[in-house]
Structure formats: C-alpha cells, structure tokens
Amino acid sequence: MQIINFDLEQELWMQEGSCVYSDTELFFPVGSSMKALKQAAEAKAICNECDVKLDCLEYAIRTNQDSGVWGGTTEDERKSIRREYRKSGTLVNF
Ligand code: SF4
C-alpha cells in the first residue's frame, strides 16, 4: 500500500491563489531581459491582488524557493526577506 503524504493546509492556500488559472511561465521569468522584467512585473501585479499572498511568501521563504515570483516577490527580493526571517522567524519587514 502506498501512503500519499501531503500537507493539506498547503494544498488549500495554493488552490486559492490568483495565479491558479494563469500561465505558469509568467511566474518564472528567465534572465534579466526587458521581456523577463515585464513578465515579473505582470506576475507581481497578479500577486498584489491575491488573498493568499502572505501564505505564499512565507511558504517560499520556508522552503527556499530560489526561482520565480512567489508572494509578490522575485528571487532577489526574497534574499533579504529570508535573512530577516531566519533571525526573527516572522516576515517582519514585509
Ligand atoms: S501570491 Fe502570487 S504566486 Fe502566490 S499564490 Fe498568489 S498569485 Fe500565486
């Protein structure tokens, strides 16, 4: 018998994300070209309207998501947030 292990709480917030029906590629821009920057800005605009933005950001920080737009932040923006999160255990400066 195979036991399927998943975090029900995690599954629930993900289903409520504003990006559920968006193009996944939009949230994973590659490089720093004008096209990629525009893509990231478009993804962040969707995040800013998302009801689970903080859940998403905290998940990205806790699980070290090092690519893509999560919780309205790019990977570079999450580096400083991650440093603070490790010190305090909360998303203090967000
Ligand atoms: S914050 Fe952005 S990436 Fe996260 S679930 Fe919402 S829309 Fe998707």
Side-chain angles (χ1 to χ4, degrees):
M1 181 173 130
Q2 182 180 6
I3 298 173
I4 300 172
N5 185 15
F6 68 95
D7 183 335
L8 182 59
E9 188 176 326
Q10 174 187 327
E11 293 291 318
L12 290 175
W13 73 257
M14 285 184 171
Q15 290 172 19
E16 294 174 16
S18 296
C19 58
V20 166
Y21 298 108
S22 299
D23 180 359
T24 306
E25 282 188 27
L26 186 65
F27 288 81
F28 292 92
V30 178
S32 56
S33 67
M34 189 56 75
K35 181 184 174 194
L37 295 176
K38 190 176 171 192
Q39 213 178 320
E42 205 174 318
K44 288 168 75 172
I46 293 171
C47 293
N48 286 334
E49 301 296 319
C50 180
D51 291 339
V52 293
K53 182 179 171 184
L54 284 179
D55 296 299
C56 180
L57 177 59
E58 186 168 24
Y59 173 81
I61 297 296
R62 274 191 295 106
T63 60
N64 295 315
Q65 298 300 319
D66 59 4
S67 64
V69 173
W70 292 79
T73 64
T74 62
E75 51 264 40
D76 285 341
E77 293 166 336
R78 285 194 302 278
K79 287 178 185 169
S80 61
I81 296 171
R82 185 175 293 119
R83 275 193 298 274
E84 291 301 318
Y85 184 82
R86 285 183 180 141
K87 286 183 203 166
S88 68
T90 61
L91 297 173
V92 287
N93 291 327
F94 187 75

